[in-house]
Amino acid sequence: MVIRARASGEILGMASYMRNRETMGSTEVGCVTFAKKLQRTTIATEAIYLMARHVFEDLGYRRFEWKCHAQNAASMRAAVRFGFIYEGTFRNDMVFKGRNRDTAWYSMIDSEWPDLDAAFRAWLSPENFDEAGQQRATLEAYRKALQAA
């Protein structure tokens, strides 16, 4: 998936499905590259939402994964912000560019999807943004409110 700016069409990032295991009902979002001006934006959140919605609603999968280098704090924060749950770190998972890589694993699963979907939709709603485009409530706040209900 190529992610573009709405007005200009400028390419701001990309993400793709990886490790697609149809028989297991599982896939992973990978090759996530967000330009600085895409990070922590409505467009970035909507892109991940659309990918997750496709996984759960169109494909009927049970699991959507996010994996990243355990030293990539920005990617780990993004996974949590989008609603992925930390599952653990695979130590000495691979050698990348001649160095050891520990891989942090995150996931969302089908039983969590209805609340995640509702939180994403509420957060993406125009009513959640003021005239300057600033969010009124965080995505996490919407998730917590749904969990408390």
Side-chain angles (χ1 to χ4, degrees):
M1 161 190 280
V2 172
I3 305 163
R4 297 179 179 270
R6 285 188 174 101
S8 68
E10 174 187 9
I11 294 174
L12 300 175
M14 65 168 272
S16 61
Y17 295 110
M18 298 174 48
R19 214 171 76 93
N20 190 34
R21 300 181 306 155
E22 184 177 357
T23 59
M24 298 296 153
S26 174
T27 193
E28 168 185 353
V29 60
C31 296
V32 178
T33 305
F34 288 178
K36 273 281 191 217
K37 61 167 94 174
L38 177 62
Q39 296 170 10
R40 298 189 59 83
T41 66
T42 306
I43 297 170
T45 303
E46 184 176 19
I48 297 301
Y49 167 66
L50 292 172
M51 290 184 80
R53 188 176 74 184
H54 178 65
V55 166
F56 293 113
E57 296 180 17
D58 299 331
L59 299 176
Y61 280 13
R62 303 167 48 247
R63 180 177 173 83
F64 190 34
E65 301 171 340
W66 178 294
K67 298 183 195 99
C68 60
H69 194 300
Q71 293 179 347
N72 187 340
S75 185
M76 292 188 296
R77 279 191 310 271
V80 170
R81 179 176 168 270
F82 294 135
F84 290 85
I85 304 297
Y86 175 71
E87 294 184 326
T89 299
F90 281 43
R91 300 176 304 145
N92 286 346
D93 182 40
M94 62 180 78
V95 175
F96 182 72
K97 295 183 180 179
R99 294 185 170 195
N100 178 64
R101 172 181 151 159
D102 296 339
T103 301
W105 284 51
Y106 296 81
S107 73
M108 51 177 73
I109 58 175
D110 56 352
S111 61
E112 299 162 344
W113 179 244
D115 282 348
L116 289 168
D117 176 53
F120 273 115
R121 283 186 289 110
W123 188 85
L124 288 165
S125 168
E127 293 79 29
N128 186 44
F129 296 90
D130 65 20
E131 302 74 35
Q134 296 299 308
Q135 69 181 354
R136 297 180 194 278
T138 65
L139 182 55
E140 180 182 16
Y142 282 109
R143 282 197 312 270
K144 285 183 177 180
L146 286 163
Q147 290 169 350

